[in-house]
Coordinates of all heavy atoms in Angstrom, one line a residue:
N6 N 71.3 226.8 72.5 CA 70.6 226.7 71.2 C 71.5 226.1 70.2 O 71.1 225.3 69.3 CB 70.1 228.1 70.8 CG 68.9 228.5 71.6 OD1 68.2 227.7 72.2 ND2 68.7 229.8 71.7
I7 N 72.8 226.5 70.2 CA 73.7 225.9 69.2 C 73.9 224.4 69.5 O 73.9 223.6 68.6 CB 75.1 226.6 69.3 CG1 75.0 228.1 68.8 CG2 76.2 225.9 68.6 CD1 76.2 228.9 69.0
L8 N 74.0 224.0 70.8 CA 74.1 222.6 71.1 C 72.9 221.8 70.7 O 73.0 220.7 70.1 CB 74.3 222.5 72.6 CG 74.6 221.1 73.1 CD1 75.9 220.5 72.5 CD2 74.7 221.0 74.6
K9 N 71.7 222.4 70.9 CA 70.5 221.7 70.4 C 70.4 221.6 68.9 O 70.1 220.5 68.4 CB 69.2 222.6 70.9 CG 68.9 222.5 72.3 CD 67.6 223.3 72.6 CE 67.3 223.3 74.1 NZ 66.1 224.2 74.3
A10 N 70.9 222.6 68.2 CA 70.9 222.5 66.8 C 71.9 221.5 66.3 O 71.6 220.7 65.4 CB 71.2 223.9 66.2
M11 N 73.0 221.4 66.9 CA 74.0 220.4 66.6 C 73.5 219.0 66.9 O 73.7 218.1 66.1 CB 75.3 220.7 67.4 CG 76.1 221.9 66.9 SD 77.5 222.3 67.9 CE 78.5 220.9 67.7
M12 N 72.9 218.8 68.0 CA 72.3 217.5 68.3 C 71.2 217.1 67.3 O 71.1 215.9 66.9 CB 71.8 217.5 69.8 CG 72.8 217.7 70.8 SD 74.1 216.4 70.8 CE 73.3 215.1 71.5
G13 N 70.4 218.0 67.0 CA 69.3 217.8 66.0 C 69.9 217.4 64.6 O 69.4 216.5 63.9
T14 N 71.0 218.1 64.2 CA 71.6 217.8 63.0 C 72.3 216.5 63.0 O 72.2 215.7 62.0 CB 72.7 218.9 62.7 OG1 72.1 220.2 62.6 CG2 73.4 218.7 61.4
L15 N 72.9 216.1 64.1 CA 73.6 214.8 64.2 C 72.5 213.7 64.1 O 72.7 212.7 63.4 CB 74.3 214.7 65.5 CG 75.0 213.4 65.8 CD1 76.0 213.0 64.8 CD2 75.6 213.3 67.2
A16 N 71.4 213.9 64.9 CA 70.3 212.9 64.8 C 69.8 212.7 63.4 O 69.6 211.6 62.9 CB 69.2 213.3 65.8
A17 N 69.5 213.8 62.7 CA 69.0 213.7 61.4 C 70.0 213.1 60.4 O 69.6 212.3 59.6 CB 68.6 215.2 60.9
T18 N 71.2 213.4 60.6 CA 72.3 212.8 59.8 C 72.3 211.2 60.0 O 72.4 210.5 59.0 CB 73.7 213.4 60.0 OG1 73.6 214.8 59.8 CG2 74.7 212.8 59.2
L19 N 72.3 210.8 61.2 CA 72.3 209.4 61.5 C 71.1 208.7 61.0 O 71.2 207.6 60.4 CB 72.5 209.1 63.0 CG 73.9 209.5 63.6 CD1 73.8 209.3 65.1 CD2 74.9 208.6 63.0
L20 N 69.9 209.3 61.2 CA 68.7 208.7 60.7 C 68.8 208.6 59.1 O 68.3 207.5 58.6 CB 67.5 209.5 61.1 CG 67.1 209.4 62.6 CD1 66.0 210.4 62.9 CD2 66.7 208.0 62.9
D21 N 69.3 209.6 58.5 CA 69.4 209.5 57.0 C 70.4 208.4 56.6 O 70.2 207.7 55.6 CB 69.8 210.9 56.5 CG 69.9 210.9 55.0 OD1 68.9 210.5 54.3 OD2 71.0 211.2 54.4

Side-chain angles (χ1 to χ4, degrees):
N6 288 335
I7 290 172
L8 186 60
K9 285 181 183 178
M11 289 174 61
M12 296 301 285
T14 302
L15 177 63
T18 302
L19 288 174
L20 287 173
D21 182 57

